[in-house]
Amino acid sequence: MTDVLWQTWSGTHRAHPRRTASPNDTAEVAAQVAAAAEDGLRVRMVGSGHSFTDVAVTDGVLLSPTSLARLRSVDHEAGTATVDAGMALCDFNEELARHGLALANMGDIAVQTVAGAVQTGTHGTGRDAGGLASQVVGLEMVTADGSVVQCSAEEDPDLFNAARVGLGAFGVVTALTFAVRPAFLLHAREEPMPLEEVLERLPEMRSSNDHFEFFWFPHTGNTNTKRNNVTDGPARPLSAFKAWLDDDLLSNRVFEGVNRVCRRFPALVPAVNHVSSRALSARSYTDASHRVFASVRDVRFVEMEYAVPAEHTAEVLREIRSVVERRGYRLSFPVEVRFAPADDVWLSTAYQRETAYIAVHMYQGAPYEECFADLESVLVSVGGRPHWGKLHTRTHTDLEKVCPQLGAAGAVRDRVDPERRFANAYLDRVLG
């Protein structure tokens, strides 16, 4: 057993692999997979560790993609860009911007590796534009026998459909080709609003904005809404001081301190949330899309997120509010609610249905298990699908009921990895 230790960003899981490697290119990834097969070891490629589950953990060979981090090519005519698996999303955004291009939609954190984010189903919020995997049009992968394969809607479409959100179960993804669009500006409007008003106006809010989301402050009736819409400009970004004040000092440093106090004295949480939610003021600005979509989040936490049918959003949030108050839980983080259109990615949490994403966070080190279990029951009751990279207790048997293509994905896995070279405990639980 090696002394090398890898752990998730939140500290939820650790790995003690037999050996580690940082391959410099696809050929070296293939050589590592072949060597692992000869030694009877399993293989996982890690990312930035931003998953809260043990999806990347292995006791065999742990591959790090730090050297797989370049933009391979851009095709303006086709509207595509091909990128190495290990490039961070924030760096990919900047590279695309230099070419006058952008992703149509993004999540709210951009420090993950491109492959890690896509493989676990990372998403943002959008009326028409879906999660990252729905923007992928091609994959380069190393399969269990060490072969390098390409897949797309035209080339091995079943592998493509299964592996876009593939959890690393179908092979080591070494490069991804994205559909990209000309760079664009977003006008961001952030505004406090009562929770009940948001819930009553949800159809309007969703339909009238390109990207709508809101944050509900537990133990209060208050939210902060965010409406991001494509605009011709001109760009009017936040001033350096305003960005530092709101997004660094208040949202990270002060929030960190507040959560440390609340972890020690949970009874303070309701009062703190009331003050925090009432201290918010409306703001608006216009900036490059990727700077509006993503923000810096330095405060460590654990998270559970479920994708529920969008029509159940209001009832689910009201029931979550009831459970939290009835059971006396204390949630110092806002509950985040985002939306996505239906997509055709087999293991996407938005597969074939309009989706609302409801995310519950707890400060790192605070007891969360009992609260998450109770809230998970609420989310599961309406057919919720767990985010693959966030905490949940679902098993393969549970997921068969809500993921229609789980069986088809399993058949592809039997074909490309019959000996389960890329398996681990998490994949055994969720994929069987």
Side-chain angles (χ1 to χ4, degrees):
M1 180 69 69
T2 181
D3 291 330
V4 174
L5 174 71
W6 178 88
Q7 68 176 14
T8 57
W9 173 82
S10 59
T12 49
H13 293 282
R14 293 174 172 83
H16 291 273
R18 183 73 60 84
R19 64 174 180 255
T20 64
S22 297
N24 292 304
D25 54 29
T26 300
E28 290 189 12
V29 172
Q32 287 292 336
V33 171
E38 289 181 7
D39 296 338
L41 299 175
R42 298 189 292 187
V43 183
R44 300 295 287 164
M45 174 88 90
V46 300
S48 62
H50 259 265
S51 290
F52 300 88
T53 63
D54 48 337
V55 62
V57 171
T58 186
D59 57 1
V61 179
L62 186 149
L63 302 180
S64 170
T66 52
S67 298
L68 303 173
R70 64 188 178 91
L71 181 67
R72 292 193 180 184
S73 64
V74 170
D75 187 331
H76 285 269
E77 185 175 346
T80 61
T82 299
V83 59
D84 278 349
M87 178 175 276
L89 278 168
C90 52
D91 296 333
F92 185 37
N93 288 330
E94 295 296 338
E95 289 281 357
L96 289 177
R98 281 191 276 273
H99 289 272
L101 299 169
L103 295 170
N105 199 0
M106 281 190 55
D108 55 8
I109 299 176
V111 297
Q112 312 99 311
T113 61
V114 173
V118 170
Q119 287 287 285
T120 53
T122 296
H123 61 88
T125 190
R127 180 189 57 208
D128 307 309
L132 286 174
S134 68
Q135 301 169 61
V136 172
V137 296
L139 294 172
E140 177 188 270
M141 302 171 58
V142 175
T143 52
D145 62 358
S147 299
V148 179
V149 302
Q150 309 284 337
C151 62
S152 65
E154 295 76 33
E155 186 175 3
D156 201 342
D158 282 354
L159 178 58
F160 179 64
N161 288 328
R164 268 188 288 175
V165 176
L167 313 181
F170 302 89
V172 177
V173 174
T174 49
L176 307 90
T177 299
F178 284 84
V180 293
R181 57 166 292 176
F184 61 102
L185 296 172
L186 284 174
H187 175 69
R189 177 184 171 190
E190 301 174 9
E191 179 182 13
M193 190 176 292
L195 174 63
E196 284 304 320
E197 180 181 352
V198 173
L199 298 183
E200 291 170 7
R201 294 177 57 190
L202 264 184
E204 167 209 340
M205 294 286 199
R206 290 180 55 211
S207 64
S208 62
N209 293 284
D210 294 323
H211 308 273
F212 173 72
E213 66 183 305
F214 67 95
F215 296 80
W216 165 55
F217 291 81
H219 319 294
T220 81
N222 305 323
T223 76
N224 190 36
T225 62
K226 294 189 174 185
R227 284 167 268 193
N228 298 331
N229 288 287
V230 177
T231 179
D232 292 332
R236 291 192 176 91
L238 292 171
S239 69
F241 174 77
K242 181 66 171 171
W244 171 82
L245 177 67
D246 290 354
D247 301 329
D248 184 9
L249 180 63
L250 296 179
S251 295
N252 284 294
R253 300 185 195 184
V254 172
F255 192 54
E256 171 78 40
V258 165
N259 273 280
R260 287 186 180 182
V261 172
C262 288
R263 183 175 61 187
R264 186 173 182 184
F265 303 104
L268 294 175
V269 170
V272 167
N273 284 7
H274 275 281
V275 171
S276 299
S277 63
R278 293 183 181 279
L280 292 170
S281 58
R283 70 176 189 175
S284 63
Y285 57 97
T286 300
D287 207 342
S289 59
H290 62 277
R291 297 193 186 106
V292 175
F293 283 136
S295 56
V296 176
R297 293 190 180 183
D298 291 331
V299 182
R300 304 281 172 134
F301 55 87
V302 294
E303 181 179 358
M304 176 180 69
E305 181 180 72
Y306 267 76
V308 303
E311 62 269 22
H312 291 299
T313 308
E315 68 179 89
V316 167
L317 279 171
R318 290 185 178 113
E319 182 60 19
I320 285 176
R321 185 178 187 181
S322 175
V323 170
V324 167
E325 298 308 323
R326 189 167 66 247
R327 296 297 306 275
Y329 297 125
R330 294 293 178 254
L331 301 178
S332 59
F333 273 67
V335 172
E336 184 177 20
V337 183
R338 295 175 287 174
F339 301 92
D343 65 36
D344 64 352
V345 182
W346 282 3
L347 297 183
S348 165
T349 46
Y351 180 74
Q352 290 191 342
R353 75 183 187 193
E354 294 282 325
T355 294
Y357 291 101
I358 299 176
V360 183
H361 311 70
M362 295 281 274
Y363 183 56
Q364 187 182 49
Y368 66 86
E369 291 87 352
E370 188 176 353
C371 176
F372 278 16
D374 277 348
L375 299 186
E376 186 176 41
S377 296
V378 176
L379 296 158
V380 167
S381 70
V382 295
R385 299 165 177 162
H387 188 299
W388 298 110
K390 299 179 183 179
L391 297 175
H392 69 90
T393 64
R394 298 296 88 190
T395 66
H396 180 257
T397 301
D398 301 318
L399 294 167
E400 284 182 313
K401 302 169 186 174
V402 294
C403 300
Q405 295 296 335
L406 197 63
V412 174
R413 190 179 181 211
D414 288 341
R415 169 167 65 90
V416 298
D417 187 15
E419 296 182 355
R420 300 296 187 259
R421 182 67 50 211
F422 304 113
N424 64 7
Y426 180 77
L427 296 187
D428 290 345
R429 175 161 68 88
V430 298
L431 297 184

